[in-house]
Amino acid sequence: MTTATYSAEITPEIVAQHGLKPEEYARCCAIMGRTPNITELGVFSVMWSEHCSYKSSKVHLKTLPTTGPKVICGPGENAGVIDIGDGQAAIFKIESHNHPSFIEPYQGAATGVGGILRDVFTMGARPIANLNALRFGSPDHPKTRHLVAGVVAGIGGYGNCVGVPTVGGETNFHPSYNGNILVNAMTVGLADADKIFYSAAAGPGNPVIYVGAKTGRDGIHGATMASAEFDDESEAKRPTVQVGDPFTEKLLIEACLELMAGDSIVAIQDMGAAGLTSSSVEMAGKGELGLELDLDCVPVRETGMTAYEIMLSESQERMLMILKPGREADAQRIFHKWELDFAVIGKVTETGKLVLKMHGETVAELPVEPLVSQAPQYERPWEPTPAQPEIAASSIPAPANLTETLKTLLGSPDIASKRWIWEQYDATVMGDTILRSGGDAALVRVHGTTKGLALVTDCTPRYCFADPVRGGAQAVVETWRNVTATGATPIAITDNMNFGNPERPRIMGQFVGCIQGIREACLALDYPVVSGNVSLYNETNGQGILPTPVIGGVGLIDDVAKAVGIAAKTEGETLVLIGDTKGHLGATLYLREIAGREDGAPPAIDLAAERRNGDFVRGQILDGAVSACHDLSDGGLLIGLVEMAMAGGLGVAIEALPAGIPAHAAYFGEDQARYLVATKDPEALLAAARAASVPAMRLGRIAGAILTGPGLDAISVEELRRIHTGWLPAYMAAEPA
Amino acid sequence: MKIAVIVFPGSNCDRDMAVAVEQIAGVKPIMVWHRETELPKLDLAILPGGFSYGDYLRSGAMAAHSPVMREIKARAASGLPVLGICNGFQILTEAGMLPGALMRNRGLKFIHRPVTTRVESSRSIFTSRYQAGQVVTIPIAHADGNYFAATDVLDRIEGQGQVAFRYCDAAGAVTDDSNPNGSARNIAGIFNETKTVLGYMPHPERVIEPLLGGSDGRALFESLIGALS
């Protein structure tokens, strides 16, 4: 390998500040055939950052199934595209904004939403729903309250203003996130299947257009920051966080969609992480062409910006487009109507080089192909996570009082209602929201049709920590069950892999294990991965987060009128438990919140049973045999049952429990592949289950306003609701300790 | 019948409003861009919800000075019915077409939830298909819905029957607990003196079919269509 060459401008210290290892810098020099200048070094630095290059994760991500009969476009573009019939496509992706949100929660979260929205409307889709997945540190940690308040306000502030409903999400608390919160945002959009826009440059001579907001000095090196661990000095990184302007984004959505209705666009790419650098390199790289940009033409917010600053700025709400020749005036008219900047900043070339000019001089000249294809790829050493012991239910002592246990769990941070959060999000703008936060999947009608998209985000990090393979698979199957529980058929997922430092073999082993679990589940369920994002280095002072592979699931139902929610709202109906209950207590919330232990293997995942039970439940919902359905996950059977009762405002008399296991394990065990359904004809449902070889048992009746059951003291659903909804508002209102 | 939905940069309930109007009135409204200075002959103008101009400066403040608003004001003065929902209500107060102001919610947070409001009067073109005293469930989605006016103004609009809707509990009682944003006298919607202009914070256009969580918003549109056709 060529040795690195340094100059007065490019010293080893400068290289290190750009997050490049000496051997990576040597490769830059080899590609350039000379010492890069500072602008060129900046381009290499962001393109080869973990965030942009996936250098630690790519070899593993490649093993995921990404194709299927309904996949129009898998990973590699701005977002994944699936066929939803009738010539329509759903376009979606999830993306993290973890590091910025910890440093500046409001703007970090807001720009996370803005970025993922752009990924989706760049492809020609009108965004129709936002979701999120949030992880915060321990509620006792002095920063947590401030971070929750800021992140939630930021997500709402952006999504509400652009007028895209935020319909679902999840929020967990755990001390491992004390120094590294996770903010993952997902957007789902709708497009005509034959009007999807891609990013590959084409047509030498075609104009390169910059639209949107002006470029400022904000966010320079955000992608590099997102690719490093935090330490006590992280607060000083605040200037690398961008500031969002959802109003401009709203205008940009409308202007882009208006232009996309015609046929002027050859290629389009949003300027996300690494701004103008990654958008121009990606467009040129995918088209196997060159781009020549005149940086004097880039609309800037302040004078005196250098080429380096313009190329590395992460100012928000900007797009790069390549137009057909002669369409500039038409396009400009649209963008000026929406009061947005519009500038021709360059042209497509056949040189295969990214050439940057400023003040009449060439300030950078980089060969695109090697910049993209020779980005470092690492097969980082990894260690498998040691298997945790299976914990027998009988070895966990029964609690003194099951009702008190229920109340404790119901008011615990992970199970308590997140209403305080989702009431700050507009969930019904656009007028098609059928089901939203507070149940299983959200359901959004496809505008102007009877079809609906079921949408959900899920992950159980404590399972992933205990057993990454099981945990990865569980995250997938939980989304699959949540989609199924509405009556929709799961189609595809997007994944957001949040992990610690991949240079540690133990962490890399978590990543590899989770990927394996995700792969196995996706294959078994015909549920491919169509887009995703990786966020590594979620560590502070060497303390990593729990492995958190968040899965965003998307499903389709032909007639939203047939969908069901979780509310048990019909007096006299019977609750039937679908699936096998073995009373699994290892790595459960019961174990953590009641027994004070976080050990043990997580529940086993039986993918065949998942599929069998889920297909059965979906069939019963679509046949109209079921009026409410809830998948069982965190907290097990009793928590799921109480959630159905609270949502419907009715009581439940539990008549029987799964046999052969202690009551606390039956109530709170977290066995997978299970659902609770409400039906008016339990005999028919049980007979159908028998015929389908699906375990099912009659659990109890929906009646009155009181919960009763074996070993439980009678308690009103109203009191349970008070406990469930009380924790988060009280926590947020309390003074920090 | 000719209905216009005015679209400002940052409006985001304009499509929802057009869908509701078309579904209930059976006619497509015309969408009027805020830069227009002339309007065709109209039977009704609607200012939809959203974040016009990003709600920068103050909610509705910049939209109130948009070119189209000069014409809307003039037409309203000669009797054109105008409906302002959420941000539209904020624009109407900022434009001086309705008294008072909408301030930041008392909890300082954006709130989205179904709320119950009580119809104070069914004697208007907007509310004739409701019963006076009827409690309707319609979602709010705003950060600035805290209605404020000086006491003498409040007394005057109460005296003239200009209070259209009040936040209330499920039984129709006007209580502090049922006031989501701190509005003076629980006011959720008001008329102008001639009852030809209504500003209302909740979003009736979002509850026009049971699948979307209710249809209590329909009667507002049905009232208008009945009165104007």
Side-chain angles (χ1 to χ4, degrees):
Chain A
M1 173 167 274
T2 317
T3 50
T5 53
Y6 297 97
S7 66
E9 196 186 23
I10 310 296
T11 63
E13 292 72 40
I14 295 277
V15 170
Q17 281 164 16
H18 281 76
L20 288 171
K21 304 250 148 71
E23 58 275 18
E24 293 174 342
Y25 175 67
R27 190 181 291 197
C28 302
C29 295
I31 288 171
M32 296 295 290
R34 60 177 165 85
T35 304
N37 65 32
I38 187 74
T39 304
E40 291 161 343
L41 181 74
V43 170
F44 273 106
S45 146
V46 292
M47 289 311 298
W48 289 5
S49 68
E50 187 69 54
H51 190 82
C52 293
S53 72
Y54 296 89
K55 58 190 168 191
S56 301
S57 58
K58 210 169 203 168
V59 293
H60 302 287
L61 294 174
K62 277 186 198 154
T63 66
L64 293 172
T66 58
T67 56
K70 294 201 165 162
V71 177
I72 295 174
C73 174
E77 279 291 338
N78 284 298
V81 186
I82 57 170
D83 182 355
I84 58 166
D86 310 310
Q88 293 180 303
I91 302 188
F92 61 96
K93 188 182 178 187
I94 191 166
E95 192 161 78
S96 63
H97 231 213
N98 303 333
H99 291 74
S101 300
F102 181 75
I103 296 172
E104 213 306 273
Y106 185 98
Q107 292 297 344
T111 53
V113 175
I116 193 64
L117 280 164
R118 281 193 298 286
D119 276 334
V120 166
F121 73 77
T122 299
M123 297 195 71
R126 176 170 285 283
I128 60 164
N130 283 329
L131 295 94
N132 54 70
L134 310 178
R135 301 282 176 321
F136 296 102
S138 164
D140 302 332
H141 190 272
K143 272 197 152 176
T144 299
R145 212 175 257 104
H146 154 75
L147 290 168
V148 173
V151 164
V152 171
I155 291 172
Y158 208 99
N160 298 342
C161 183
V162 296
V164 176
T166 301
V167 297
E170 56 164 1
T171 306
N172 286 168
F173 298 86
H174 189 274
S176 77
Y177 305 106
N178 280 350
N180 291 84
I181 62 170
L182 302 183
V183 175
N184 296 175
M186 173 171 166
T187 293
V188 184
L190 192 65
D192 289 339
D194 61 355
K195 285 282 280 183
I196 292 164
F197 292 82
Y198 296 98
S199 57
N206 282 345
V208 178
I209 314 291
Y210 170 116
V211 297
K214 292 185 198 316
T215 296
R217 287 194 168 99
D218 47 340
I220 291 173
H221 270 304
T224 313
M225 169 193 72
S227 306
E229 282 184 43
F230 276 164
D231 54 30
D232 295 329
E233 308 303 313
S234 296
E235 297 279 327
K237 291 182 175 169
R238 187 164 294 136
T240 58
V241 179
Q242 319 85 330
V243 175
D245 177 2
F247 172 58
T248 299
E249 179 103 335
K250 167 71 174 162
L251 303 182
L252 193 56
I253 294 175
E254 298 305 331
C256 286
L257 293 178
E258 194 172 326
L259 180 60
M260 285 163 166
D263 67 342
S264 299
I265 298 176
V266 173
I268 180 164
Q269 170 77 39
D270 80 299
M271 294 192 222
L276 192 50
T277 293
S278 67
S279 54
S280 56
V281 171
E282 281 173 27
M283 293 182 90
K286 285 189 179 134
E288 299 178 2
L289 288 165
L291 290 185
E292 185 180 308
L293 305 182
D294 183 353
L295 300 185
D296 292 324
C297 297
V298 172
V300 290
R301 208 186 293 151
E302 45 205 311
T303 54
M305 287 184 70
T306 63
Y308 179 92
E309 288 171 330
I310 290 171
M311 290 307 290
L312 270 61
S313 163
E314 290 193 1
S315 290
Q316 299 288 293
E317 295 92 23
R318 302 178 300 161
M319 299 283 225
L320 200 62
M321 305 188 297
I322 292 165
L323 293 184
K324 292 181 181 168
R327 304 295 177 88
E328 295 92 323
D330 284 346
Q332 184 168 28
R333 196 172 310 124
I334 291 171
F335 282 85
H336 283 177
K337 170 188 160 190
W338 292 98
E339 299 175 27
L340 293 165
D341 270 298
F342 177 101
V344 179
I345 64 165
K347 61 176 194 279
V348 179
T349 67
E350 286 177 304
T351 62
K353 288 183 174 171
L354 177 66
V355 176
L356 307 177
K357 298 199 163 166
M358 203 171 185
H359 311 318
E361 287 174 23
T362 298
V363 293
E365 184 169 343
L366 298 122
V368 174
E369 195 276 332
L371 174 59
V372 176
S373 70
Q374 292 183 40
Q377 293 276 311
Y378 295 119
E379 281 206 50
R380 300 207 184 268
W382 59 276
E383 289 168 7
T385 303
Q388 297 294 306
E390 298 288 348
I391 292 179
S394 55
S395 73
I396 304 296
N401 181 313
L402 284 167
T403 311
E404 289 306 314
T405 303
L406 167 64
K407 286 155 76 174
T408 303
L409 273 176
L410 209 52
S412 67
D414 280 357
I415 291 179
S417 167
K418 303 303 181 298
R419 175 186 294 268
W420 184 92
I421 292 174
W422 46 259
E423 279 196 347
Q424 296 186 53
Y425 305 147
D426 189 341
T428 56
V429 63
M430 298 187 86
D432 284 306
T433 306
I434 311 282
L435 297 169
R436 54 186 147 127
S437 302
D440 285 321
L443 186 65
V444 177
R445 185 169 57 187
V446 174
H447 191 67
T449 74
T450 61
K451 292 188 293 191
L453 294 174
L455 314 169
V456 70
T457 55
D458 270 311
C459 181
T460 313
R462 62 180 187 279
Y463 294 171
C464 299
F465 182 73
D467 183 334
V469 180
R470 283 189 190 179
Q474 194 276 340
V476 174
V477 300
E478 191 174 342
T479 68
W480 193 87
R481 283 202 304 267
N482 279 324
V483 167
T484 292
T486 66
T489 303
I491 297 182
I493 64 169
T494 178
D495 60 353
N496 204 143
M497 308 294 290
N498 306 276
F499 290 79
N501 182 345
E503 294 166 47
R504 285 177 222 277
R506 190 176 52 81
I507 301 290
M508 200 60 213
Q510 294 173 343
F511 184 87
V512 172
C514 285
I515 289 280
Q516 183 190 331
I518 292 170
R519 179 177 65 241
E520 289 169 3
C522 288
L523 286 171
L525 300 172
D526 292 319
Y527 196 33
V529 182
V530 296
S531 60
N533 171 246
V534 178
S535 171
L536 302 174
Y537 298 95
N538 290 290
E539 295 206 10
T540 295
N541 294 331
Q543 180 66 46
I545 58 163
L546 295 184
T548 312
V550 172
I551 304 297
V554 175
L556 177 69
I557 187 167
D558 288 333
D559 183 357
V560 289
K562 290 184 174 169
V564 299
I566 71 163
K569 55 188 176 215
T570 312
E571 187 106 22
E573 286 196 340
T574 300
L575 282 181
V576 172
L577 170 62
I578 307 290
D580 233 351
T581 300
K582 299 195 181 82
H584 183 97
L585 287 176
T588 59
L589 281 183
Y590 176 87
L591 201 65
R592 189 175 89 193
E593 300 293 329
I594 306 298
R597 296 166 51 177
E598 294 192 49
D599 60 334
I605 308 296
D606 178 343
L607 292 166
E610 289 285 355
R611 184 150 198 165
R612 192 165 53 241
N613 297 358
D615 288 347
F616 172 75
V617 166
R618 189 182 318 107
Q620 294 296 312
I621 293 170
L622 295 178
D623 282 349
V626 163
S627 69
C629 178
H630 194 10
D631 105 292
L632 297 183
S633 53
D634 276 354
L637 170 62
L638 191 55
I639 294 296
L641 181 146
V642 167
E643 285 170 347
M644 293 180 80
M646 291 185 300
L650 289 173
V652 173
I654 304 171
E655 290 154 2
L657 285 182
I661 47 176
H664 62 291
Y667 277 137
F668 304 114
E670 295 180 4
D671 307 284
Q672 300 292 298
R674 295 188 302 161
Y675 302 80
L676 259 184
V677 298
T679 178
K680 61 180 182 307
D681 189 351
E683 292 312 321
L685 187 74
L686 291 167
R690 263 193 309 278
S693 305
V694 166
M697 70 168 281
R698 181 196 296 261
L699 201 76
R701 273 183 73 246
I702 301 163
I706 307 290
L707 172 72
T708 59
L712 293 174
D713 309 327
I715 183 167
S716 78
V717 171
E718 195 45 47
E719 185 181 349
L720 294 170
R721 192 212 308 271
R722 195 179 46 72
I723 294 166
H724 185 238
T725 55
W727 179 77
L728 188 52
Y731 170 70
M732 292 306 296
E735 289 300 316
Chain B
M1 182 166 24
K2 200 141 193 192
I3 301 172
V5 175
I6 312 299
V7 184
F8 301 92
S11 292
N12 64 27
C13 302
D14 44 329
R15 187 190 79 175
D16 305 357
M17 186 58 79
V19 167
V21 166
E22 187 176 358
Q23 208 181 100
I24 298 166
V27 292
K28 251 187 167 47
I30 55 167
M31 308 304 279
V32 176
W33 184 236
H34 75 118
R35 282 182 186 280
E36 298 294 332
T37 50
E38 283 175 28
L39 293 171
K41 190 173 162 6
L42 289 177
D43 299 300
L44 170 69
I46 303 177
L47 309 183
F51 290 67
S52 55
Y53 293 93
D55 277 353
Y56 298 144
L57 185 61
R58 256 189 340 265
S59 297
M62 285 194 269
H65 296 282
S66 250
V68 75
M69 284 306 293
R70 221 167 301 145
E71 185 69 6
I72 293 279
K73 260 175 150 168
R75 295 282 187 95
S78 51
L80 173 70
V82 178
L83 170 65
I85 296 298
C86 196
N87 195 227
F89 186 8
Q90 293 161 344
I91 295 167
L92 289 172
T93 59
E94 286 287 345
M97 294 170 66
L98 289 173
L102 291 147
M103 306 193 303
R104 181 53 45 106
N105 295 342
R106 66 177 160 188
L108 304 182
K109 289 195 287 290
F110 185 97
I111 307 169
H112 170 249
R113 73 166 81 115
V115 298
T116 39
T117 58
R118 190 177 74 193
V119 180
E120 295 297 291
S121 164
S122 63
R123 291 163 63 180
S124 81
I125 56 172
F126 301 96
T127 54
S128 60
R129 299 283 168 99
Y130 292 113
Q131 306 287 324
Q134 184 181 345
V135 175
V136 293
T137 303
I138 298 179
I140 54 168
H142 61 245
D144 301 307
N146 180 358
Y147 184 75
F148 175 83
T151 306
D152 59 322
V153 176
L154 290 170
D155 289 343
R156 192 182 72 230
I157 62 176
E158 298 249 26
Q160 297 176 351
Q162 286 176 249
V163 177
F165 296 89
R166 277 183 227 269
Y167 301 108
C168 65
D169 66 16
V174 172
T175 62
D176 191 54
D177 275 353
S178 59
N179 185 341
N181 51 28
S183 288
R185 303 186 191 179
N186 283 44
I187 288 172
I190 53 170
F191 302 117
N192 66 345
E193 288 181 11
T194 53
K195 292 194 180 177
T196 51
V197 176
L198 169 68
Y200 184 43
M201 283 315 292
H203 286 273
E205 78 280 9
R206 297 191 191 179
V207 274
I208 55 167
E209 52 180 316
L211 261 178
L212 301 176
S215 46
D216 280 1
R218 287 190 77 92
L220 190 142
F221 297 97
E222 287 164 354
S223 303
L224 279 167
I225 288 148
L228 302 175
S229 53

